[in-house]
Amino acid sequence: MADSTSATTADPEAVVAANVRRLREALGLSQTELSRRARLGTRDMAVWGIENGKRRINIADLHVLADALGVTAELLLTPGADLAPQVRQYEARIDGGITETVAADAVEADDYGLLHFFLRGERVFLTSVARVLCVREAH
């Protein structure tokens, strides 16, 4: 007879809910901030509902959450996945010949034309998208 723990982890929505919560907390994000990044709305209730099994997770939600958390949808569906945020070194080449090297685990452009680099939920670099010539992962 299977115990209730294995039954819970076998449920894909429960696995995603647990992984979203663990990764969100590891990144230092509030439910509101994750909702904003994933464009699920500005209310805490969207992420709260997913994390607490009150909101069904559809394929679109799964992919936008994965993108916002900097992981793959497959990883969110994996029970007991290693969810340590992947810190990467980025080189941002800005007009005027400036190159900035930034350590970040998430990069996003907002609706105001700004490019944000985040490390553990804190913005570490901000620039105008119009000034960016290219962004690449540094080797």
Side-chain angles (χ1 to χ4, degrees), residues 44-114:
D44 292 344
M45 296 303 294
V47 172
W48 180 90
I50 289 168
E51 289 181 356
N52 290 284
K54 304 296 183 190
R55 176 177 170 168
R56 291 195 55 97
I57 301 167
N58 61 37
I59 297 295
D61 288 345
L62 182 66
H63 285 280
V64 296
L65 282 168
D67 287 345
L69 291 167
V71 296
T72 64
E74 180 181 15
L75 192 67
L76 288 181
L77 286 163
T78 304
D82 177 14
L83 298 174
Q86 298 294 319
V87 176
R88 296 184 173 107
Q89 294 289 327
Y90 293 95
E91 286 182 359
R93 189 156 298 150
I94 314 294
D95 64 357
I98 300 168
T99 300
E100 292 284 339
T101 302
V102 181
D105 51 29
V107 180
E108 74 175 55
D110 66 19
D111 295 334
Y112 302 103
L114 298 173

Side-chain angles (χ1 to χ4, degrees), residues 3-49:
D3 67 14
S4 62
T5 306
S6 63
T8 301
T9 52
D11 173 26
E13 287 189 343
V15 170
V16 171
N19 285 342
V20 166
R21 180 185 303 249
R22 285 188 322 161
L23 188 52
R24 177 184 61 76
E25 290 173 350
L27 291 170
L29 298 174
S30 68
Q31 290 175 337
T32 302
E33 177 63 15
L34 179 54
S35 287
R36 187 191 66 74
R37 284 189 184 188
R39 289 183 164 77
L40 293 172
T42 56
R43 309 172 321 246
D44 292 344
M45 296 303 294
V47 172
W48 180 90

